Amino acid sequence: MRIPPRVAQTVARVVLGAATFFTVAVLIFIIGHVLVKGIPVLSFRFLFSNPEDMGRAGGIFPTLVGSVLLPAVALVFAVPLGIGTAVFLTEYTRESKITAAIRFGADCLAGIPSIIFGLFGFIFFVTVLRMGWCILSGGLTLAMMVLPTIIRTTEEAIRAVPYAYREVSFSLGATRWRTVWRVVLPNALPGIVTGIILSLGRSIGETAAVIFTAGSSLRMPSSLFDSVRTMSVHFYILAREGISSENAYGTAAVLVLAVLMVNGISYWLMHQFMKRFS
Amino acid sequence: MSRKTISFVVLCSFVMIVFLGSGCGKGKVSVTAAGSTAFQPFAEKLAEQFMQSHPDINVTVQGGGSAVGIQSAVSGAADIGMADLVNLPPEASALKSVVVAKDGIAVIVHPQNPVKDLSIEQIRNIFNGVIKNWSEVGGEERPITVVSREAGSGTRSSFEAIVGGVELIREAVIQDSNGTVRETVANDVNAIGYLSHGLVNEKVKAVTVSGVECTTETITKGQYTLVRPVFFLTKGEPQGAVKAFIDFVLSSEGQKTIVDSGLLPAK
Amino acid sequence: MSQKSETVVYYVLQFIALSAMGSLLLIALFILKEGFPFILEEGPSKFLFSSTWEPAKEHFGIFPMLVGSVWVTFGALVVGGPLGVAGAIYLVEFTPKGLMRIIKPVIELLAGIPSVVYGFMGVAVLAPLIRTYIGGPGLSVLAASLILGIMILPTVMSISMDALNSVPPSYKEGSLALGATRWQTQYMVVLKAAKSGILASIILGMGRAIGETMAVIMVAGNAVKIPNSVLDSVRTLTANIALEMGYATGRHRQALFATGVVLFLVIMMLNSFAMWSLKERRKK
């Protein structure tokens, strides 16, 4: 017996629709749960005072600072390297063995699990380079982690800049670098910033790579060679060790809001960028 | 954004890094203690108190576990290694060790579990998987979920050394800290676990071992058998700030903090 | 600017461009250096296929963790794969453009939720439900699979959507013009054309599931045992590393790095396969 195509279509539509609805519902439930339980905990004091008694009481200020400093250090290293790589790939060479190798490297790097980055950072920065658990070790490890994202998004943004722009610049006698610096990069900027912000979101949420490289000290860092605990590590420890579920939810809410905000900004920028060139 | 702004931002960030890296850390002597996660919360507390009276010294406490404590003391990554093992491994023989506290290991179950007492024999059989149901030790007809620590944990090796002859059942749920063991047991009516006695709280119930309750008094009197020492390990004789911190921990003020937090004094 | 400085710029950029490659090599080098000698010393087959992991007694067999990773990843794919692909088809084909404009960003935003948050939901909500209504310790293969499955949904969904969107409209128009319904067109034409892209999305999701650490430690229970059912507690390769790394010294530590080597190699193989299948799509 054959099922009439119309019926098959209706069934497919209902099943697919249900699956989609379920997916979105689950994801929204997770965020909703965290926000509903966490937002009531939030206050100026919670954000800007020091934790007491291992985080059982008090605020989360040092971890907030950690979550700002660590991604900042990561971006300071990853952004110039990532943009430089993308410019080289798009503006300075033709497709060749070298570009293929570079792309392969970046793609592989993107797929490596964070625990491997953590192991590497622990053995290389913390142990071999004798830097210890510190902001710099963690930041450098994160920089390696987000590098492929920045390369990829910058490459795409640069490619989206119409070729005519470059031709005009060249015809005015500008050198290649001047063209890149004055014409291509400024026009690709929103796309590049999108990639940077996405990386920021990823490094704020990272736990496994950070805990092995930046440590988990709850004290306010006074230099880049101090150990620090980020919000995600703090949340992990609070929740797992059952130190304080109230503060755990509060920290999670800050974390989720920060990541949503960061990703939201990058999405909006991407949208603006697409509108500009299409 | 103009290119000037961009270059300025990039430049500033680099300058900031160099300054933060080199400048601000100066002027304070720093002491790093790393190791036992069971002792970490107490060490944090002690460090906080110590720094109030010694503002010129900065004490950083890291977890990592007893093995890391020993290793980082040997390698010099930490000034003080904290280890809470009954038997120190051979690597530690080159280190100077001092007992700063003693710690009881409490055997815990869910508060709704009617079982109140277990003998060492029963504990061994439960963790070996010979006893698989609570009814075999006077409880309800429920399967036992054994919760233990990861290989390498000081609490686990001490627990297994004192109980003796433990071949941990393969099904055991493994958690990597005292807190997570407590949470897991608190969430599961069928569970049994063990942890540092100072960290027992109202979410779980400590059973008596062969009729002896796990309290400061019974441990001091030597009646409660599941006890292990906490060592501070240093490379060579401690000096300067490191010595000052260790002396503080051993002082009556430091020992009082240890006792108030639920651990036992060194002597 | 003179020709000379252009050349300088070229070499500087080329040097920078090697950073990604360099990072990868550095990571591979150090992980292999720490772990590979141990595998050789222990014997690859003994290390991979022995099921006794008792570091204190010098037994280092990662077979239970290998099996654990396979179970959990497979479970995550069973949960996340069909849901993700179904969602992608529905959103691309059967959703009004206006609604799509809201749902797509929502899903992409969700891809950024930190994994610890998912893990925590697993412990706080899912594990107690499983323990109460289905049985076992709750922290189990099932809990880990569900949590990971949900975690990889955004990845699978958004890459599948891109693959579906990049099928040339003429394919669809041709099929519809022949009188096929939209579902028939989807099923027989679009899905076939987007096959390699969808496959890549699933493989990338799989990579994420295998590599996930913190969420898995929280929900899987971490027993060193080959699970008999989905209700048993299980330990993955990643969990093995992260759980014991802090406490390991000597050979135990080398064994954990060796676990990292195995994980690294598995992931590299998967990624190469995903890249290859995406490339196949581009060729078409």
Side-chain angles (χ1 to χ4, degrees):
Chain A
M1 196 185 75
R2 277 186 51 124
I3 304 165
R6 287 270 147 215
V7 176
Q9 162 140 339
T10 315
V11 170
R13 201 173 173 152
V14 169
V15 171
L16 293 179
T20 313
F21 177 77
F22 175 76
T23 305
V24 175
V26 166
L27 293 172
I28 288 177
F29 168 76
I30 292 178
I31 298 205
H33 180 88
V34 169
L35 293 184
V36 165
K37 290 211 166 187
I39 286 180
V41 181
L42 301 189
S43 66
F44 186 80
R45 272 206 54 187
F46 182 73
L47 290 176
F48 297 107
S49 64
N50 282 324
E52 287 152 28
D53 201 7
M54 297 297 288
R56 198 164 282 119
I60 56 165
F61 194 50
T63 70
L64 200 66
V65 171
S67 283
V68 171
L69 278 182
L70 218 54
V73 171
L75 290 180
V76 163
F77 287 97
V79 167
L81 289 178
I83 295 180
T85 305
V87 167
F88 181 77
L89 286 176
T90 49
E91 302 289 313
Y92 276 83
T93 45
R94 289 169 202 290
E95 291 301 313
S96 68
K97 285 243 167 72
I98 296 182
T99 58
I102 292 170
R103 285 215 176 81
F104 177 77
D107 285 344
C108 285
L109 206 56
I112 292 179
S114 52
I115 180 77
I116 299 277
F117 281 99
L119 276 185
F120 168 75
F122 175 65
I123 200 77
F124 187 67
F125 297 121
V126 176
T127 316
V128 173
L129 297 185
R130 296 187 159 275
M131 286 156 63
W133 292 289
C134 69
I135 298 175
L136 203 56
S137 302
L140 286 167
T141 309
L142 282 180
M144 293 171 97
M145 242 176 102
V146 298
L147 187 59
T149 315
I150 294 180
I151 296 177
R152 193 41 50 153
T153 44
T154 307
E155 232 191 301
E156 272 166 30
I158 290 178
R159 280 187 204 287
V161 176
Y163 202 73
Y165 286 29
R166 297 178 181 85
E167 280 166 350
V168 171
S169 172
F170 288 143
S171 70
L172 290 171
T175 60
R176 189 162 281 273
W177 175 246
R178 236 176 137 70
T179 307
V180 167
W181 191 241
R182 279 265 168 101
V183 179
V184 177
L185 285 184
N187 278 295
L189 196 62
I192 297 173
V193 173
T194 306
I196 295 175
I197 296 179
L198 273 179
S199 314
L200 185 66
R202 186 166 175 206
S203 32
I204 291 176
E206 181 51 43
T207 314
V210 171
I211 209 165
F212 285 115
T213 52
S216 59
S217 162
L218 247 184
R219 293 172 36 72
M220 184 63 91
S222 60
S223 86
L224 286 187
F225 292 97
D226 274 358
S227 164
V228 80
R229 186 188 284 193
T230 63
M231 284 195 289
S232 31
V233 173
H234 189 52
F235 168 68
Y236 176 75
I237 293 174
L238 286 186
R240 247 175 92 60
E241 313 239 331
I243 291 173
S244 155
S245 78
E246 196 178 299
N247 281 4
Y249 274 115
T251 313
V254 179
L255 194 60
V256 165
L257 286 175
V259 171
L260 285 185
M261 200 175 69
V262 159
N263 284 10
I265 292 173
S266 86
Y267 197 84
W268 177 79
L269 269 173
M270 180 94 89
H271 202 71
Q272 298 298 313
F273 186 63
M274 302 277 254
K275 262 203 284 195
R276 192 155 154 198
F277 288 114
S278 60
Chain B
M1 231 196 278
S2 76
R3 68 186 179 135
K4 269 187 191 155
T5 331
I6 301 175
S7 8
F8 182 70
V9 169
V10 171
L11 194 72
C12 280
S13 328
F14 273 111
V15 169
M16 192 184 79
I17 289 223
V18 172
F19 266 93
L20 275 175
S22 58
C24 310
K26 279 178 192 160
K28 272 195 173 186
V29 189
S30 110
V31 176
T32 312
S36 163
T37 46
F39 193 64
Q40 189 187 1
F42 308 108
E44 296 256 4
K45 241 181 221 175
L46 289 164
E48 256 170 52
Q49 281 183 350
F50 176 70
M51 283 184 290
Q52 272 166 14
S53 53
H54 297 74
D56 53 325
I57 301 176
N58 192 3
V59 182
T60 311
V61 178
Q62 297 282 349
S66 296
V68 167
I70 294 166
Q71 196 187 23
S72 38
V74 171
S75 74
D79 303 305
I80 300 171
M82 308 182 288
D84 48 10
L85 300 160
V86 174
N87 307 314
L88 285 174
E91 305 96 276
S93 58
L95 299 169
K96 193 97 178 93
S97 68
V98 53
V99 176
V100 292
K102 282 184 185 154
D103 184 16
I105 300 175
V107 176
I108 52 164
V109 296
H110 193 273
Q112 282 165 24
N113 193 326
V115 173
K116 286 197 173 67
D117 179 71
L118 291 169
S119 67
I120 288 278
E121 182 72 35
Q122 283 170 325
I123 293 173
R124 183 184 306 131
N125 285 336
I126 289 175
F127 280 84
N128 281 347
V130 177
I131 297 177
K132 288 185 181 241
N133 198 297
W134 282 113
S135 61
E136 293 172 59
V137 288
E140 292 163 347
E141 177 64 36
R142 288 169 172 284
I144 298 179
T145 307
V146 173
V147 183
S148 185
R149 294 285 302 280
E150 72 294 343
S153 146
T155 314
R156 171 163 165 186
S157 62
S158 302
F159 174 79
E160 291 184 351
I162 300 165
V163 172
V166 175
E167 285 281 342
L168 186 69
I169 178 180
R170 292 261 175 111
E171 280 83 354
V173 167
I174 305 290
Q175 298 293 351
D176 62 353
S177 73
N178 281 290
T180 47
V181 167
R182 185 177 64 202
E183 279 307 289
T184 311
V185 173
N187 285 329
D188 188 346
V189 186
N190 304 331
I192 181 167
Y194 55 88
L195 51 67
S196 178
H197 120 273
L199 295 169
V200 175
N201 68 2
E202 71 291 342
K203 289 186 197 169
V204 292
K205 185 176 83 178
V207 296
T208 55
V209 177
S210 307
V212 182
E213 200 181 336
C214 179
T215 62
T216 313
E217 204 194 340
T218 56
I219 300 173
T220 331
K221 281 189 183 155
Q223 292 163 331
Y224 189 81
T225 44
L226 292 170
V227 180
R228 51 146 174 200
V230 180
F231 291 103
F232 268 17
L233 303 161
T234 50
K235 205 174 186 177
E237 203 63 48
Q239 280 165 348
V242 178
K243 184 171 189 308
F245 180 59
I246 296 180
D247 286 347
F248 170 78
V249 173
L250 291 173
S251 71
S252 53
E253 194 190 348
Q255 292 290 311
K256 187 174 176 297
T257 307
I258 285 176
V259 174
D260 289 348
S261 319
L263 286 189
L264 302 152
K267 283 165 196 114
Chain C
M1 249 194 246
S2 67
Q3 194 56 44
K4 213 173 178 182
S5 53
E6 269 300 294
T7 323
V8 172
V9 168
Y10 177 84
Y11 283 112
V12 168
L13 285 178
Q14 187 175 39
F15 180 73
I16 286 178
L18 292 175
S19 60
M21 207 47 209
S23 304
L24 181 72
L25 289 179
L26 210 59
I27 291 173
L29 182 79
F30 271 91
I31 300 285
L32 286 176
K33 196 187 94 182
E34 291 289 317
F36 204 65
F38 180 85
I39 299 183
L40 291 182
E41 211 176 280
E42 191 75 10
S45 65
K46 194 174 157 212
F47 181 64
L48 290 173
F49 300 115
S50 152
S51 55
T52 316
W53 175 268
E54 281 171 24
K57 296 189 188 114
E58 294 275 315
H59 291 305
F60 301 101
I62 59 165
F63 194 59
M65 283 69 110
L66 218 53
V67 176
S69 275
V70 171
W71 270 73
V72 167
T73 309
F74 179 75
L77 288 184
V78 167
V79 176
L83 274 181
V85 175
I89 296 173
Y90 188 78
L91 289 178
V92 169
E93 207 52 38
F94 297 107
T95 311
K97 280 274 174 294
L99 192 62
M100 166 103 160
R101 228 174 271 148
I102 301 170
I103 295 184
K104 188 155 194 254
V106 167
I107 288 170
E108 277 167 14
L109 287 186
L110 293 173
I113 297 297
S115 57
V116 279
V117 173
Y118 286 102
F120 180 57
M121 293 302 292
V123 178
V125 180
L126 193 61
L129 284 179
I130 293 177
R131 181 166 47 235
T132 318
Y133 294 104
I134 312 179
L139 303 169
S140 57
V141 176
L142 183 63
S145 300
L146 285 170
I147 287 296
L148 283 179
I150 293 168
M151 270 180 73
I152 65 170
L153 270 175
T155 312
V156 173
M157 230 165 170
S158 65
I159 299 177
S160 293
M161 274 161 92
D162 291 342
L164 291 170
N165 275 325
S166 67
V167 173
S170 57
Y171 284 29
K172 248 191 270 180
E173 284 153 12
S175 165
L176 290 172
L178 288 171
T181 63
R182 277 167 91 181
W183 170 241
Q184 281 174 323
T185 305
Q186 261 316 307
Y187 187 70
M188 296 174 185
V189 181
V190 181
L191 271 185
K192 282 225 171 77
K195 199 175 61 188
S196 59
I198 290 176
L199 185 66
S201 81
I202 291 178
I203 298 172
L204 287 175
M206 195 164 150
R208 187 161 180 207
I210 294 189
E212 179 48 45
T213 311
M214 296 328 227
V216 173
I217 291 189
M218 291 168 99
V219 298
N222 310 317
V224 190
K225 179 185 168 278
I226 297 169
N228 292 323
S229 84
V230 291
L231 296 178
D232 280 358
S233 160
V234 69
R235 184 187 294 193
T236 63
L237 292 170
T238 50
N240 194 40
I241 301 172
L243 270 176
E244 297 189 358
M245 195 58 213
Y247 298 81
T249 46
R251 274 174 67 76
H252 184 191
R253 200 170 97 133
Q254 290 173 357
L256 296 180
F257 272 93
T259 313
V261 170
V262 173
L263 182 66
F264 185 76
L265 294 178
V266 170
I267 292 276
M268 288 294 274
M269 280 192 294
L270 269 182
N271 282 342
S272 307
F273 187 61
M275 270 181 254
W276 173 79
S277 87
L278 275 174
K279 215 176 257 165
E280 285 295 291
R281 192 186 97 205
R282 275 194 211 120
K283 262 189 217 157
K284 277 183 200 156

Coordinates of all heavy atoms in Angstrom, one line a residue, chain B residues 171-214:
Chain B
E171 N 31.7 -1.1 39.8 CA 30.5 -0.3 39.6 C 30.6 1.1 40.3 O 29.7 1.9 40.1 CB 29.2 -1.0 39.9 CG 28.7 -2.0 38.9 CD 29.5 -3.3 39.0 OE1 30.4 -3.5 39.8 OE2 29.1 -4.3 38.3
A172 N 31.5 1.2 41.2 CA 31.5 2.4 42.1 C 31.5 3.7 41.3 O 32.2 3.9 40.3 CB 32.8 2.4 43.0
V173 N 30.6 4.6 41.7 CA 30.6 5.9 41.2 C 31.9 6.7 41.7 O 32.2 6.6 42.9 CB 29.3 6.7 41.6 CG1 29.4 8.2 41.3 CG2 28.1 6.1 40.9
I174 N 32.6 7.3 40.8 CA 33.8 8.0 41.2 C 33.6 9.5 41.2 O 33.2 10.1 40.2 CB 35.0 7.6 40.3 CG1 35.2 6.1 40.3 CG2 36.3 8.3 40.8 CD1 35.7 5.5 41.5
Q175 N 34.0 10.2 42.3 CA 33.9 11.6 42.3 C 35.3 12.2 42.7 O 36.0 11.5 43.3 CB 32.8 12.1 43.3 CG 31.4 11.7 42.9 CD 30.9 12.3 41.7 OE1 31.5 13.2 41.1 NE2 29.7 11.8 41.2
D176 N 35.6 13.4 42.3 CA 36.9 13.9 42.5 C 37.2 14.9 43.6 O 38.2 15.5 43.6 CB 37.5 14.4 41.2 CG 36.8 15.6 40.7 OD1 35.7 15.9 41.2 OD2 37.2 16.2 39.7
S177 N 36.2 15.0 44.6 CA 36.6 15.8 45.7 C 35.6 15.4 46.9 O 34.6 14.7 46.6 CB 36.4 17.2 45.4 OG 35.1 17.6 45.3
N178 N 35.9 15.8 48.1 CA 35.1 15.5 49.2 C 33.7 16.1 49.0 O 32.7 15.4 49.3 CB 35.7 16.2 50.5 CG 36.8 15.4 51.1 OD1 36.6 14.3 51.6 ND2 38.0 15.9 50.9
G179 N 33.6 17.3 48.5 CA 32.4 18.0 48.3 C 31.5 17.3 47.3 O 30.3 17.1 47.5
T180 N 32.1 16.7 46.2 CA 31.2 16.1 45.2 C 30.8 14.7 45.8 O 29.7 14.3 45.4 CB 32.0 15.9 43.9 OG1 33.3 15.4 44.2 CG2 32.1 17.2 43.2
V181 N 31.6 14.1 46.6 CA 31.1 12.8 47.2 C 29.9 13.1 48.1 O 28.9 12.4 48.0 CB 32.3 12.2 48.1 CG1 31.7 11.0 48.9 CG2 33.4 11.6 47.2
R182 N 30.0 14.2 48.9 CA 28.9 14.5 49.8 C 27.7 14.9 49.0 O 26.6 14.4 49.3 CB 29.3 15.8 50.6 CG 28.3 16.2 51.6 CD 28.8 17.3 52.5 NE 29.0 18.5 51.6 CZ 29.7 19.6 51.9 NH1 30.5 19.5 53.0 NH2 29.8 20.6 51.1
E183 N 27.8 15.6 47.9 CA 26.6 16.0 47.1 C 26.0 14.7 46.5 O 24.8 14.6 46.4 CB 27.1 16.9 45.9 CG 27.2 18.3 46.3 CD 25.9 18.8 47.0 OE1 24.9 19.0 46.3 OE2 25.9 19.1 48.2
T184 N 26.9 13.8 46.0 CA 26.3 12.6 45.3 C 25.6 11.7 46.4 O 24.5 11.2 46.1 CB 27.5 11.8 44.7 OG1 28.3 12.6 43.9 CG2 27.0 10.6 43.9
V185 N 26.2 11.6 47.6 CA 25.5 10.8 48.6 C 24.2 11.5 49.0 O 23.1 10.9 49.2 CB 26.4 10.6 49.8 CG1 25.7 9.9 50.9 CG2 27.6 9.7 49.4
A186 N 24.3 12.9 49.1 CA 23.1 13.6 49.6 C 21.9 13.5 48.6 O 20.8 13.6 48.9 CB 23.4 15.1 49.7
N187 N 22.3 13.2 47.3 CA 21.2 13.1 46.3 C 20.7 11.7 46.0 O 19.8 11.5 45.3 CB 21.8 13.7 44.9 CG 21.9 15.2 44.9 OD1 21.1 15.8 45.6 ND2 22.9 15.7 44.2
D188 N 21.4 10.7 46.7 CA 21.0 9.4 46.3 C 20.8 8.5 47.6 O 21.7 8.3 48.4 CB 22.2 8.7 45.5 CG 21.8 7.4 45.0 OD1 20.8 6.8 45.4 OD2 22.6 6.9 44.1
V189 N 19.5 8.1 47.8 CA 19.1 7.4 49.0 C 19.9 6.1 49.1 O 20.2 5.6 50.2 CB 17.6 7.0 48.9 CG1 17.2 6.4 50.2 CG2 16.8 8.2 48.6
N190 N 20.4 5.5 48.0 CA 21.1 4.2 48.1 C 22.6 4.3 48.3 O 23.3 3.3 48.4 CB 20.9 3.5 46.8 CG 19.4 3.3 46.5 OD1 18.6 3.3 47.4 ND2 19.1 3.3 45.2
A191 N 23.1 5.6 48.4 CA 24.5 5.7 48.3 C 25.3 5.6 49.6 O 24.7 5.8 50.7 CB 24.9 7.1 47.7
I192 N 26.5 5.2 49.6 CA 27.4 5.2 50.7 C 28.8 5.8 50.2 O 29.2 5.5 49.1 CB 27.7 3.8 51.3 CG1 28.6 3.9 52.5 CG2 28.2 2.9 50.3 CD1 28.6 2.7 53.4
G193 N 29.4 6.7 51.0 CA 30.6 7.3 50.6 C 31.5 7.6 51.8 O 31.1 7.2 52.9
Y194 N 32.6 8.2 51.6 CA 33.4 8.6 52.8 C 34.1 10.0 52.5 O 34.3 10.3 51.3 CB 34.5 7.6 53.1 CG 35.4 7.3 51.9 CD1 36.5 8.0 51.6 CD2 35.0 6.2 51.0 CE1 37.3 7.8 50.5 CE2 35.8 6.0 49.9 CZ 36.9 6.7 49.6 OH 37.7 6.5 48.5
L195 N 34.3 10.7 53.5 CA 34.9 12.0 53.3 C 35.5 12.5 54.6 O 35.4 11.9 55.7 CB 34.0 13.1 52.7 CG 32.6 13.3 53.4 CD1 32.7 13.9 54.8 CD2 31.8 14.2 52.5
S196 N 36.3 13.6 54.5 CA 36.9 14.2 55.6 C 35.9 14.6 56.6 O 34.9 15.2 56.3 CB 37.6 15.5 55.1 OG 38.3 16.1 56.1
H197 N 36.1 14.3 57.9 CA 35.0 14.4 58.9 C 34.6 15.8 59.1 O 33.5 16.1 59.4 CB 35.4 13.6 60.1 CG 35.5 14.4 61.4 ND1 36.6 15.1 61.8 CD2 34.5 14.7 62.3 CE1 36.4 15.7 62.9 NE2 35.1 15.5 63.2
G198 N 35.6 16.8 58.9 CA 35.2 18.2 59.0 C 34.2 18.7 58.0 O 33.7 19.8 58.1
L199 N 34.0 17.9 57.0 CA 33.1 18.4 55.9 C 31.7 17.8 55.9 O 30.9 18.0 55.0 CB 33.8 18.2 54.5 CG 35.1 19.0 54.3 CD1 35.8 18.6 53.1 CD2 34.7 20.5 54.2
V200 N 31.5 16.9 56.9 CA 30.2 16.3 57.0 C 29.2 17.5 57.4 O 29.5 18.3 58.2 CB 30.1 15.3 58.2 CG1 28.7 14.7 58.4 CG2 31.1 14.2 57.8
N201 N 28.0 17.5 56.7 CA 27.0 18.5 57.1 C 25.6 17.8 57.1 O 25.5 16.6 57.1 CB 27.0 19.7 56.1 CG 26.6 19.2 54.7 OD1 26.2 18.1 54.4 ND2 26.6 20.2 53.7
E202 N 24.6 18.7 57.3 CA 23.3 18.1 57.5 C 22.7 17.4 56.3 O 21.7 16.7 56.5 CB 22.3 19.2 58.0 CG 21.9 20.3 56.9 CD 23.1 21.2 56.5 OE1 24.1 21.3 57.2 OE2 22.9 21.8 55.4
K203 N 23.3 17.5 55.1 CA 22.7 16.9 54.0 C 23.0 15.4 54.0 O 22.4 14.6 53.2 CB 23.3 17.4 52.7 CG 22.9 18.8 52.4 CD 23.5 19.2 51.0 CE 23.5 20.7 50.7 NZ 24.3 20.9 49.5
V204 N 24.0 14.9 54.8 CA 24.3 13.5 54.8 C 24.4 13.1 56.3 O 24.5 13.9 57.2 CB 25.7 13.3 54.1 CG1 25.6 13.5 52.6 CG2 26.8 14.1 54.7
K205 N 24.5 11.7 56.4 CA 24.5 11.2 57.8 C 25.8 10.4 57.9 O 26.0 9.5 57.1 CB 23.3 10.3 58.0 CG 23.2 9.8 59.5 CD 21.9 9.0 59.7 CE 22.0 7.6 59.2 NZ 20.8 6.8 59.4
A206 N 26.6 10.7 59.0 CA 27.8 9.9 59.2 C 27.4 8.7 60.1 O 26.7 8.8 61.1 CB 28.8 10.7 59.9
V207 N 27.7 7.5 59.7 CA 27.4 6.3 60.5 C 28.5 6.1 61.5 O 29.6 6.6 61.4 CB 27.3 5.0 59.6 CG1 26.1 5.1 58.6 CG2 28.6 4.7 58.9
T208 N 28.1 5.4 62.6 CA 29.2 5.1 63.6 C 29.9 3.8 63.1 O 29.4 3.0 62.4 CB 28.6 4.8 65.0 OG1 27.6 3.7 64.8 CG2 27.9 6.0 65.5
V209 N 31.2 3.8 63.3 CA 32.0 2.7 62.8 C 32.3 1.8 64.0 O 32.9 2.2 65.0 CB 33.3 3.2 62.2 CG1 34.2 2.0 61.8 CG2 33.0 4.0 61.0
S210 N 31.8 0.5 64.0 CA 31.9 -0.4 65.1 C 31.4 0.2 66.4 O 32.1 0.1 67.4 CB 33.3 -1.0 65.3 OG 33.8 -1.5 64.0
G211 N 30.4 1.0 66.3 CA 29.8 1.6 67.5 C 30.4 2.9 67.9 O 29.9 3.6 68.8
V212 N 31.5 3.3 67.3 CA 32.2 4.6 67.7 C 31.8 5.7 66.8 O 31.9 5.6 65.5 CB 33.7 4.4 67.7 CG1 34.3 5.7 68.2 CG2 34.1 3.3 68.6
E213 N 31.3 6.8 67.3 CA 30.9 7.9 66.5 C 32.1 8.7 66.1 O 33.1 8.7 66.8 CB 30.0 8.8 67.4 CG 29.1 9.7 66.5 CD 28.3 10.6 67.4 OE1 28.0 10.2 68.6 OE2 27.9 11.7 67.0
C214 N 32.1 9.3 64.9 CA 33.2 10.1 64.5 C 33.2 11.5 65.0 O 32.5 12.4 64.4 CB 33.2 10.1 62.9 SG 34.6 11.0 62.2

